[in-house]
Amino acid sequence: MATANSSNILSSTFCLTGIPGYEEFHHWISIPFCLLYLVGIMGNCTILHIVRTDPRLHQPMYYFLVMLSLTDMGMSLPTMISLFRVLWSISREIQFNTCVVQMFFIHTFSFTESSVLLAMALDRYVAICHPLRYATIFTPTLITKIGIAALLRSAFAMIPLLARLAFFPFCHSHILSHSYCLHQDMIRLACADTKFNVIYGLVLITLLWGMDSLGIFVSYVFILHSVLKISSQEGRFKALNTCASHICAVLILYVPMIGLSIVHRFAKHSSPLIHIFMAHIYLLVPPVLNPIIYSVKTRQIRQGILNLLFPLRINSSMM
């Protein structure tokens, strides 16, 4: 009985991994991670504040930008505590329940961000191809429904996948490959038949990410078709320029996501540093770069940041 109890306790505790081979430098390595998290949090919070306080930005495009900022933070912040616990040598252990909750937030917000990018592509399609109907189609009520539907779709899709983990015995290694929990990382430690999780996970990626990316691609086909009909070169450039930030956001999410999936599926025996590097890019690059890109490429956001930094100077120049 004592052996069974100790086995259950062991199977409910996992060990996170920092940067293998560089353990003595973990405190120094934590500095750039601190800066990245700080830039990501400040950048996204700045966008949220600007859109909330400026009535001129209470438009569909900026509401979707708010959703993008929230999903960025929802995807990256759950990893912050466990990452710094490892890098600061506080503790490498994580309980199974905590691990599942962390996985739920990471994967749910990852799928949600993909849905938000699809909604933003449709927003650009309607704005460019049907500008006169834009305000009547994208009403605040519809935008709210889109946001709720994107979140619920992702959350409900993850429940069967994570619920199955509670029935898996982990009787061998309990060492995870990252400083946070990912589903594809945990199922490789299970000493049971994980066929359902593998197949369901592939179907989930194909249906959610695949359909979202297809919808984004089709939207831009119609956008490009409509833009090419514009007679003036300046008009074509202006129309495409409104899509530049969104295209960058799509690439920032999907390229690391595809890279991480390829590494986990086809490069299982490669260096652990590759797995860790790709996972950190996947979770940290979108929250850090998206606010920067939208601040640089979107004049209204850039003006809002200048108003925050230099309120007196901006006000006096406008008088």
Side-chain angles (χ1 to χ4, degrees), residues 14-44:
F14 292 85
C15 193
L16 300 170
T17 300
I19 312 294
Y22 297 89
E23 286 79 7
E24 66 269 28
F25 302 109
H26 273 181
H27 285 81
W28 294 105
I29 294 173
S30 70
I31 295 175
F33 279 108
C34 276
L35 293 176
L36 286 173
Y37 274 106
L38 185 63
V39 170
I41 292 170
M42 289 184 62
N44 285 290

Side-chain angles (χ1 to χ4, degrees), residues 47-81:
I47 286 180
L48 293 176
H49 175 74
I50 290 171
V51 175
R52 184 182 67 85
T53 55
D54 191 343
R56 295 171 298 177
L57 301 184
H58 294 177
Q59 300 175 24
M61 174 183 173
Y62 302 104
Y63 290 145
F64 287 125
L65 181 57
V66 166
M67 291 184 196
L68 185 66
S69 293
L70 290 174
T71 53
D72 274 337
M73 291 195 291
M75 190 169 67
S76 63
L77 288 181
T79 67
M80 185 171 63
I81 295 176

Side-chain angles (χ1 to χ4, degrees), residues 184-204:
Q184 57 266 41
D185 192 21
M186 180 170 278
I187 59 170
R188 69 179 180 82
L189 303 179
C191 44
D193 184 8
T194 60
K195 188 179 296 182
F196 171 83
N197 282 56
V198 172
I199 295 175
Y200 185 88
L202 288 173
V203 171
L204 207 61

Side-chain angles (χ1 to χ4, degrees), residues 21-270:
Y22 297 89
E23 286 79 7
E24 66 269 28
F25 302 109
H26 273 181
H27 285 81
W28 294 105
I29 294 173
S30 70
I31 295 175
F33 279 108
C34 276
L35 293 176
L36 286 173
Y37 274 106
L38 185 63
V39 170
I41 292 170
M42 289 184 62
N44 285 290
C45 287
T46 300
I47 286 180
L48 293 176
H49 175 74
I50 290 171
V51 175
R52 184 182 67 85
T53 55
D54 191 343
R56 295 171 298 177
L57 301 184
H58 294 177
Q59 300 175 24
M61 174 183 173
Y62 302 104
Y63 290 145
F64 287 125
L65 181 57
V66 166
M67 291 184 196
L68 185 66
S69 293
L70 290 174
T71 53
D72 274 337
M73 291 195 291
M75 190 169 67
S76 63
L77 288 181
T79 67
M80 185 171 63
I81 295 176
S82 61
L83 171 64
F84 289 120
R85 279 171 60 87
V86 172
L87 294 181
W88 293 342
S89 303
I90 298 173
S91 175
R92 292 178 57 196
E93 292 186 350
I94 186 169
Q95 295 298 312
F96 174 80
N97 292 337
T98 306
C99 203
V100 170
V101 171
Q102 190 178 59
M103 274 189 284
F104 176 79
F105 280 109
I106 292 172
H107 294 300
T108 295
F109 281 108
S110 175
F111 286 129
T112 304
E113 179 152 345
S114 177
S115 301
V116 171
L117 289 174
L118 172 60
M120 296 176 82
L122 295 175
D123 170 78
R124 292 297 84 207
Y125 162 73
V126 175
I128 293 173
C129 301
H130 305 284
L132 298 179
R133 299 173 57 194
Y134 181 69
T136 58
I137 292 176
F138 281 104
T139 61
T141 302
L142 178 62
I143 295 169
T144 303
K145 289 179 179 179
I146 290 174
I148 294 173
L151 182 60
L152 292 180
R153 184 193 73 158
S154 305
F156 284 131
M158 285 304 302
I159 290 174
L161 201 64
L162 300 183
R164 285 271 300 176
L165 292 176
F167 300 98
F168 288 158
F170 297 93
C171 49
H172 300 305
S173 173
H174 287 74
I175 300 176
L176 298 169
S177 303
H178 307 290
S179 51
Y180 38 80
C181 301
L182 295 174
H183 173 263
Q184 57 266 41
D185 192 21
M186 180 170 278
I187 59 170
R188 69 179 180 82
L189 303 179
C191 44
D193 184 8
T194 60
K195 188 179 296 182
F196 171 83
N197 282 56
V198 172
I199 295 175
Y200 185 88
L202 288 173
V203 171
L204 207 61
I205 290 172
T206 304
L207 288 179
L208 299 188
W209 285 342
M211 295 302 291
D212 290 345
S213 57
L214 179 62
I216 292 170
F217 175 76
V218 171
S219 296
Y220 274 102
V221 169
F222 283 110
I223 288 172
L224 188 60
H225 181 262
S226 179
V227 167
L228 291 177
K229 292 181 179 179
I230 299 175
S231 56
S232 69
Q233 185 175 350
E234 183 181 353
R236 288 197 295 268
F237 176 78
K238 186 177 180 181
L240 289 175
N241 192 49
T242 63
C243 302
S245 301
H246 178 258
I247 293 172
C248 291
V250 170
L251 294 176
I252 286 170
L253 177 69
Y254 280 104
V255 171
M257 181 191 300
I258 294 169
L260 182 62
S261 298
I262 291 173
V263 166
H264 273 285
R265 302 292 178 190
F266 305 109
K268 296 179 180 179
H269 303 293
S270 60

